[in-house]
C-alpha cells in the first residue's frame, strides 16, 4: 500500500466527518420541526404536498398504520414503474424510440427501485427511455430513500417516547425527508456535477468522429446522452446506486473527473454518517450517535485498507510472467484489470468498499475483476446486513437492532434485564431483532444454494468453479441486502434470476421494515426506567467494542463457510505453488 493511497483514504474520511456533523444536526431540526430557515424557504412545498394528499401535519399513527402506509405507498410506486416500462414504447419522452421492457425485467426493476436496491438487469442507455428514467426511476430514488429515513425516525421515536401508542406520521416524515434534505442536497450536487461535464440533456445521442484517416473519414460513434446529472445526484445521496448508463460511475458521462469522483464518494456515505449525529440529537445524548458512528468506522476503515492493499499487491499470474506491478509515477501498479486509469487503485477500492458499506451499489470499477480478497471485502460488507453506514435510514436502524442485541448479550453476562436508552429489552424485541438479522441471511444462502443446483442458475454463469460460485453468492447478497452492485460476470436478465432476486429484494426490504416498526411500537409503549449501577453505558469504548464484536461475529458465523467456498478458495488456488496444483 502506498502513501498516496493512505492519504486519499484519510482525506476522504476527514471530509466525510467534517460534513456529516453539521448535516446531522440540521436533519434533527428537520424532524423536530425546528429547522426554521429551511421551513421558511420550503414550507410552501411541504404544505402543498399535505393539501394535495389530504394529510394532516399533526397526524399520529400506530406502528401498524405506519407500516401499512409504507407498504401501500411503495406498492403503488412499484406498479407505476412497472407500467412505465411496459408502456414506454407508446409514451412520449422516448427520443431513442426504445421498445417495451420485458415483463421479467420490468418486475425486477420495479421492485429494485421501490426497495432502494437499484439492482439493474438491463443496460440503462439501451433499455430505458428518458421518461422512464425520470418519472419512474428518478422519482423512486427520492421516495425510496425518504422511506428509509422515515422508518428510522419512527424507531427513534419508539426509543424516546414513554407510554405512547403512536410513532408519528409516515407522510410527514416522508415529505420532510424529501423536501428539506434530499431535494436541496441533490440540486447542489447536480449543479456541481454539470459544471464538471456530467451530461444533462433531453437529447437522445450525439455523433462523434474519430480523427483516424484524416479529412473527416474516421470511424463514426454514436454516444448516448440524457438527463444523467440529476439522477446521478440522488442515486448517490439516496444510496440508490442505479446508473443512468450501463457502465455506471465508470462511464465518463456520469463521472468524468477526479473531483466528480470525490463528490460522489462523499455523497454515498454523507447522509448515513450524518444520521448517526441526528440520532444522538434526537435522543438528547450526542454521545450515543457518535458511539454508533465510531463502531461503523472501526469496521469500515480496516476493511477499506484490506481492499486497497489486496488490489495494490497485484495478481500472482502477472507476477509469474515477470510483469512489473509496482506503483510508479507512470503507473498505478497492482491489479488494474477492470479499473479506470483516471481513478487508479485507491479510488477504485475506496469506492468498492463505500458502495457496499452503504446500500448504494454504484460502481466505478468492475468488482468481478478484483483480486479474490479484494472482491471478498465488498461481498462481506453486504452480508453484514448493510449496517456499516448502510442505506439512508435503513443502515442506522439495522445498526440499532444490533445495538439492542449487544445490550441483550451484555445483560446475559451479568444476569439482569438488558436496557437500551432507558427501555427494557424483552422477548418481543429480541424476536423482531432476530428476524432483522436472520431473514436476509436466509435469503442469501437459500437463494445461492438453489441457483447452484438448478440449470437455470448455472447456465448464465460467465466463469466456472470458485469464481462462478462467488458471482452467484454476490448476486443474492446484493439483492437480499438491497445493495444492487454485481460482480458482473453473471447474466441476470433471464426469468430465473430476475424473479428470484426480485423476491429476495422484497423480503430484504419490507419484512425488515415491518419487524423494525413492530419493535418501535413495542418500545414506545414502555415506560423509561432510570439508569442504575448495573446499566451498561452505551456511549463509551466498551459498548463500541461490544457492538463491533457482535456485528463481526454474527457476520462471520453466518457467511464464512460460503466465503470459504468462493473467494477464499479462489485466493488459495491462485497463490498455491504450481507443483501442488492438479
Amino acid at each position: 500500500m502506498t502513501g498516496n493511497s493512505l492519504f486519499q483514504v484519510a482525506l476522504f474520511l476527514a471530509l466525510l466527518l467534517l460534513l456529516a456533523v453539521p448535516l446531522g444536526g440540521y436533519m434533527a431540526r428537520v424532524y423536530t420541526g425546528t429547522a426554521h430557515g429551511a421551513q421558511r424557504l420550503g414550507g410552501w412545498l411541504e404544505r402543498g404536498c399535505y393539501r394535495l394528499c389530504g394529510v394532516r401535519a399533526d397526524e399520529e399513527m400506530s406502528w401498524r398504520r405506519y407500516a401499512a402506509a409504507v407498504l401501500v405507498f411503495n406498492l403503488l410506486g412499484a406498479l407505476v414503474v412497472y407500467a412505465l416500462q411496459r408502456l414506454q414504447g407508446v409514451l412520449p419522452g422516448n427520443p431513442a424510440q426504445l421498445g417495451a421492457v420485458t415483463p421479467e425485467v420490468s418486475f425486477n426493476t420495479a421492485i429494485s427501485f421501490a426497495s432502494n436496491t437499484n439492482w439493474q438487469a438491463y443496460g440503462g442507455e439501451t433499455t430505458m427511455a428518458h421518461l422512464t428514467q425520470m418519472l419512474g426511476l428518478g422519482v423512486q430514488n427520492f421516495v425510496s430513500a425518504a422511506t428509509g429515513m422515515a422508518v428510522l425516525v419512527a424507531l427513534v421515536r419508539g426509543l424516546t417516547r414513554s407510554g405512547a401508542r403512536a410513532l408519528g406520521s409516515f407522510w410527514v416524515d416522508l415529505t420532510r425527508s424529501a423536501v428539506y434534505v434530499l431535494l436541496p442536497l441533490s440540486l447542489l450536487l447536480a449543479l456541481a456535477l454539470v459544471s464538471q461535464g456530467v451530461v444533462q440533456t433531453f437529447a437522445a445521442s450525439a455523433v462523434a468522429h474519430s480523427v483516424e484517416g484524416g479529412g473527416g473519414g474516421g470511424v463514426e460513434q454514436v454516444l448516448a446522452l440524457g438527463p444523467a446529472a440529476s439522477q446521478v445526484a440522488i442515486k448517490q445521496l439516496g444510496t440508490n446506486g442505479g446508473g443512468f448508463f450501463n457502465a455506471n460511475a465508470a462511464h465518463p458521462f456520469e463521472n468524468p473527473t477526479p473531483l466528480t469522483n470525490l463528490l460522489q464518494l462523499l455523497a454515498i456515505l454523507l447522509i448515513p454518517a450524518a444520521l448517526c449525529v441526528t440520532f444522538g440529537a434526537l435522543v438528547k445524548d450526542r454521545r450515543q450517535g457518535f458511539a454508533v458512528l465510531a463502531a461503523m468506522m472501526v469496521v469500515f476503515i480496516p476493511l477499506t485498507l484490506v481492499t486497497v492493499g489486496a488490489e495494490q499487491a497485484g495478481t500472482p499470474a502477472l507476477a509469474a510472467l515477470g510483469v512489473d506491478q509496482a506503483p510508479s509515477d507512470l503507473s498505478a501498479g497492482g491489479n488494474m484489470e477492470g479499473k479506470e486509469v483516471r481513478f487508479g487503485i485507491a479510488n477504485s477500492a475506496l469506492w468498492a468498499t463505500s458502495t457496499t458499506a452503504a446500500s448504494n451499489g454504484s460502481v466505478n470499477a468492475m468488482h468481478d475483476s478484483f483480486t479474490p480478497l479484494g472482491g471478498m471485502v465488498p461481498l462481506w460488507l453486504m452480508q453484514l446486513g448493510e449496517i456499516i453506514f448502510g442505506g439512508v435510514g435503513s443502515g442506522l436502524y439495522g445498526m440499532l437492532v444490533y445495538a439492542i442485541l449487544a445490550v441483550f448479550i451484555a445483560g446475559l453476562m451479568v444476569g439482569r434485564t438488558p436496557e437500551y436508552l432507558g427501555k427494557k429489552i424483552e422477548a418481543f424485541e429480541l424476536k423482531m431483532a432476530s428476524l432483522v438479522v436472520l431473514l436476509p441471511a436466509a435469503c442469501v444462502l437459500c437463494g445461492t444454494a438453489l441457483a447452484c443446483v438448478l440449470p437455470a442458475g448455472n447456465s448464465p454463469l460467465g466463469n466456472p468453479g470458485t469464481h462462478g460460485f462467488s458471482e452467484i453468492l454476490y448476486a443474492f447478497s446484493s439483492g437480499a441486502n438491497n445493495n444492487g452492485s454485481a460482480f458482473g460476470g453473471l447474466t441476470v436478465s433471464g426469468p430465473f434470476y430476475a424473479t428470484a432476486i426480485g423476491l429476495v429484494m422484497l423480503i430484504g426490504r419490507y419484512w425488515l421494515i415491518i419487524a423494525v416498526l413492530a419493535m418501535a411500537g413495542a418500545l414506545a409503549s414502555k415506560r423509561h426506567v432510570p439508569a442504575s449501577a448495573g446499566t451498561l453505558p452505551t456511549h463509551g469504548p466498551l459498548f463500541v467494542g461490544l457492538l463491533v464484536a457482535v456485528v463481526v461475529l454474527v457476520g462471520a458465523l453466518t457467511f464464512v463457510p460460503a466465503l470459504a467456498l468462493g473467494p477464499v478458495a479462489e485466493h488459495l488456488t491462485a497463490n498455491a505453488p504450481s507443483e501442488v496444483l492438479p
Side-chain angles (χ1 to χ4, degrees):
M1 189 180 303
T2 65
N4 177 58
S5 298
L6 291 173
F7 171 76
Q8 292 190 63
V9 173
L11 176 64
F12 167 72
L13 293 174
L15 290 173
L16 177 65
L17 294 176
L18 187 66
L19 294 170
V21 173
L23 178 59
Y26 165 74
M27 287 193 290
R29 294 191 296 275
V30 166
Y31 292 119
T32 55
T34 57
H36 301 303
Q39 288 169 323
R40 280 194 294 271
L41 292 173
W44 63 271
L45 181 56
E46 180 187 3
R47 292 187 296 272
C49 291
Y50 297 156
R51 282 195 295 269
L52 181 64
C53 300
V55 171
R56 293 192 353 256
D58 59 350
E59 181 181 20
E60 290 280 335
M61 295 179 172
S62 68
W63 78 262
R64 289 180 176 85
R65 279 191 63 205
Y66 205 105
V70 170
L71 296 177
V72 171
F73 178 75
N74 281 260
L75 172 62
L76 292 176
L79 291 175
V80 169
V81 175
Y82 181 87
L84 284 170
Q85 293 175 87
R86 297 292 293 140
L87 298 173
Q88 74 174 12
V90 297
L91 291 174
N94 187 6
Q97 299 298 306
L98 299 172
V101 183
T102 61
E104 60 269 18
V105 173
S106 296
F107 164 77
N108 183 279
T109 305
I111 298 303
S112 176
F113 278 77
S115 64
N116 199 244
T117 308
N118 292 49
W119 172 269
Q120 292 178 284
Y122 62 89
E125 64 268 49
T126 59
T127 309
M128 298 296 176
H130 290 354
L131 182 68
T132 308
Q133 292 268 22
M134 293 185 295
L135 185 59
L137 309 187
V139 169
Q140 286 302 309
N141 282 345
F142 279 97
V143 297
S144 66
T147 295
M149 297 166 75
V151 173
L152 168 65
V153 174
L155 176 59
V156 175
R157 290 195 189 107
L159 289 166
T160 56
R161 293 184 175 183
S162 180
R165 292 221 170 256
L167 298 174
S169 169
F170 169 69
W171 308 117
V172 172
D173 295 334
L174 178 85
T175 303
R176 289 179 174 174
S177 298
V179 170
Y180 297 121
V181 181
L182 297 173
L183 275 172
L185 288 177
S186 297
L187 177 61
L188 292 174
L189 181 56
L191 291 173
L193 295 177
V194 169
S195 74
Q196 292 295 300
V198 179
V199 298
Q200 180 73 13
T201 176
F202 291 117
S205 61
V207 177
H209 296 273
S210 70
V211 296
E212 298 171 1
V219 177
E220 180 179 287
Q221 183 178 4
V222 178
L223 305 175
L225 300 174
S230 55
Q231 188 158 317
V232 170
I234 184 56
K235 88 168 185 180
Q236 307 298 24
L237 286 164
T239 59
N240 299 283
F244 191 93
F245 300 102
N246 192 36
N248 209 285
H251 197 293
F253 287 175
E254 281 201 28
N255 189 12
T257 69
L259 179 58
T260 61
N261 193 75
L262 176 61
L263 291 175
Q264 292 185 50
L265 262 176
L266 289 170
I268 290 172
L269 297 185
L270 178 58
I271 295 179
L275 282 171
C276 295
V277 181
T278 303
F279 167 66
L282 292 177
V283 300
K284 296 181 171 54
D285 186 352
R286 290 168 61 89
R287 299 173 300 174
Q288 301 290 341
F290 284 117
V292 174
L293 181 59
M296 293 178 178
M297 286 290 190
V298 167
V299 178
F300 177 74
I301 294 174
L303 291 179
T304 299
L305 297 179
V306 167
T307 307
V308 175
E311 297 306 301
Q312 195 71 70
T315 61
L318 289 178
L321 296 173
V323 176
D324 183 8
Q325 299 183 78
S328 67
D329 293 339
L330 300 177
S331 171
N335 175 34
M336 280 297 294
E337 180 188 345
K339 300 179 179 65
E340 285 289 316
V341 293
R342 67 186 191 276
F343 301 140
I345 296 291
N347 279 291
S348 300
L350 180 57
W351 190 297
T353 51
S354 297
T355 196
T356 49
S359 68
N360 182 269
S362 67
V363 294
N364 73 346
M366 179 61 72
H367 292 187
D368 199 41
S369 297
F370 276 34
T371 62
L373 295 185
M376 183 179 72
V377 170
L379 175 56
W380 195 50
L381 277 168
M382 293 187 298
Q383 292 170 343
L384 289 177
E386 295 288 20
I387 57 171
I388 308 305
F389 297 108
V392 288
S394 61
L396 183 53
Y397 67 62
M399 189 58 131
L400 293 179
V401 167
Y402 272 91
I404 288 170
L405 289 175
V407 297
F408 172 74
I409 292 171
L412 291 178
M413 291 178 179
V414 298
R416 60 174 287 130
T417 303
E419 303 164 16
Y420 186 59
L421 299 180
K423 295 294 182 76
K424 288 188 178 294
I425 306 303
E426 297 174 308
F428 182 79
E429 291 78 35
L430 262 295
K431 291 176 182 177
M432 296 301 102
S434 298
L435 288 176
V436 171
V437 173
L438 296 177
L439 277 174
C443 288
V444 172
L445 297 176
C446 293
T448 301
L450 187 64
C452 287
V453 299
L454 293 178
N458 281 276
S459 58
L461 277 177
N463 294 279
T466 55
H467 194 77
F469 175 79
S470 296
E471 291 174 350
I472 297 174
L473 180 63
Y474 195 107
F476 281 97
S477 299
S478 179
N481 292 286
N482 301 127
N483 183 268
S485 66
F487 256 15
L490 180 66
T491 301
V492 294
S493 56
F496 173 77
Y497 279 105
T499 304
I501 294 177
L503 291 175
V504 301
M505 286 189 290
L506 277 174
I507 296 170
R509 177 71 163 180
Y510 298 110
W511 283 45
L512 267 60
I513 283 178
I514 294 171
V516 168
L517 289 174
M519 182 190 301
L523 291 170
S525 65
K526 296 184 178 185
R527 300 287 180 182
H528 281 102
V529 294
S532 65
T535 301
L536 172 69
T538 55
H539 54 70
L542 177 62
F543 177 73
V544 171
L546 179 62
L547 179 56
V548 170
V550 171
V551 169
V552 172
L553 284 175
V554 170
L557 292 172
T558 306
F559 289 106
V560 160
L563 294 173
L565 294 174
V568 173
E570 185 181 359
H571 171 76
L572 295 175
T573 301
N575 288 272
S578 58
E579 59 268 16
V580 304
L581 294 175

